[in-house]
Amino acid sequence: ITAGSTLVFSSRSLGDFLYETNQYALAQKSYQIHYSVFGDDQSLVGLYNSSILILDYDMIIRLFPSVKKEMFESDWDYGRVLSEYLIALHYLTSEESIDLFFDEADRLYPTLLENDWIDFFVPFTDVIATGSVETLRKVIRYLEGKLSEFPTPVMQAAAYTQMAVAYKEIGDLKKAEEMMQKADELDPQ
């Protein structure tokens, strides 16, 4: 019992050491032990961050309700947390169920807009890089529908840029060029 108790008590410190030495899979296990017993914020942060680094999308989705609850009471990077959740959701959602990704993006959009709007676009990069032609068309329709909601020209330019990349992936180079021109007009930088 003493050896087991000591292991549980020191699992967060071990997780910190493993995390700092880039042994993220082992760090995740240590943090998971500590978090399951004590449920403290620091082990949750370590568990979530190590899960992100090893691309454990299932763990990211399972932790998201706890992380979401805790992030408003601490100094978590909201944009990153929400963005990583959407990326995980994309990778774990079948092509037939991709509308779940767009529904969650809609639901989380106001929080992302308040904190760090650029993180709203990060998951779309993954969707565009890995999605089917039909999913890419959904990305384009979704972003076109959001254009009027984006409050700044820079955000609108980011949407046009994402649509340009999606059109390029589909093979519609003329439309991709048109989207990039619109993006450049809105944000010439």
Side-chain angles (χ1 to χ4, degrees):
I1 295 177
T2 305
S5 298
T6 303
L7 181 60
V8 169
F9 283 119
S10 64
S11 58
R12 192 175 100 216
S13 297
L14 178 59
D16 291 344
F17 171 77
L18 292 167
Y19 188 89
E20 289 184 21
T21 57
N22 302 326
Q23 299 178 62
Y24 303 119
L26 294 172
Q28 181 196 41
K29 290 179 188 233
S30 293
Y31 288 129
Q32 191 170 9
I33 290 168
H34 197 268
Y35 183 67
S36 67
V37 173
F38 299 104
D40 70 85
D41 285 349
Q42 291 305 310
S43 55
L44 177 61
V45 169
L47 178 55
Y48 196 76
N49 287 336
S50 56
S51 296
I52 288 169
L53 291 167
I54 63 171
L55 305 177
D56 186 344
Y57 299 125
D58 185 56
M59 181 65 77
I60 292 168
I61 291 197
R62 282 191 285 147
L63 290 174
F64 184 70
S66 298
V67 169
K68 186 177 168 198
K69 186 177 97 178
E70 294 297 325
M71 75 180 185
F72 292 110
E73 298 169 9
S74 62
D75 53 346
W76 284 68
D77 179 350
Y78 305 139
R80 179 174 174 243
V81 168
L82 300 179
S83 184
E84 292 294 347
Y85 166 70
L86 286 172
I87 290 168
L89 187 63
H90 160 64
Y91 282 110
L92 292 180
T93 302
S94 67
E95 284 285 325
E96 298 79 36
S97 304
I98 198 68
D99 289 339
L100 176 62
F101 169 84
F102 294 107
D103 291 345
E104 282 295 279
D106 262 351
R107 189 174 68 78
L108 298 175
Y109 170 71
T111 305
L112 283 164
L113 186 61
E114 288 172 19
N115 293 285
D116 187 3
W117 64 265
I118 199 70
D119 283 323
F120 175 75
F121 292 102
V122 172
F124 289 94
T125 303
D126 284 87
V127 173
I128 291 168
T130 61
S132 67
V133 170
E134 181 54 35
T135 297
L136 295 177
R137 292 186 195 290
K138 286 182 180 184
V139 167
I140 292 166
R141 285 191 302 270
Y142 179 82
L143 292 174
E144 282 176 339
K146 278 272 186 232
L147 276 171
S148 65
E149 293 180 38
F150 295 142
T152 66
V154 174
M155 268 188 92
Q156 292 168 353
Y160 278 118
T161 301
Q162 291 285 342
M163 288 188 285
V165 174
Y167 275 118
K168 183 179 177 202
E169 288 295 316
I170 290 171
D172 189 341
L173 300 181
K174 183 178 178 185
K175 199 70 170 163
E177 186 177 320
E178 180 185 321
M179 295 294 111
M180 281 309 295
Q181 286 175 348
K182 288 182 180 183
D184 288 342
E185 288 170 10
L186 289 165
D187 186 20
Q189 299 175 19

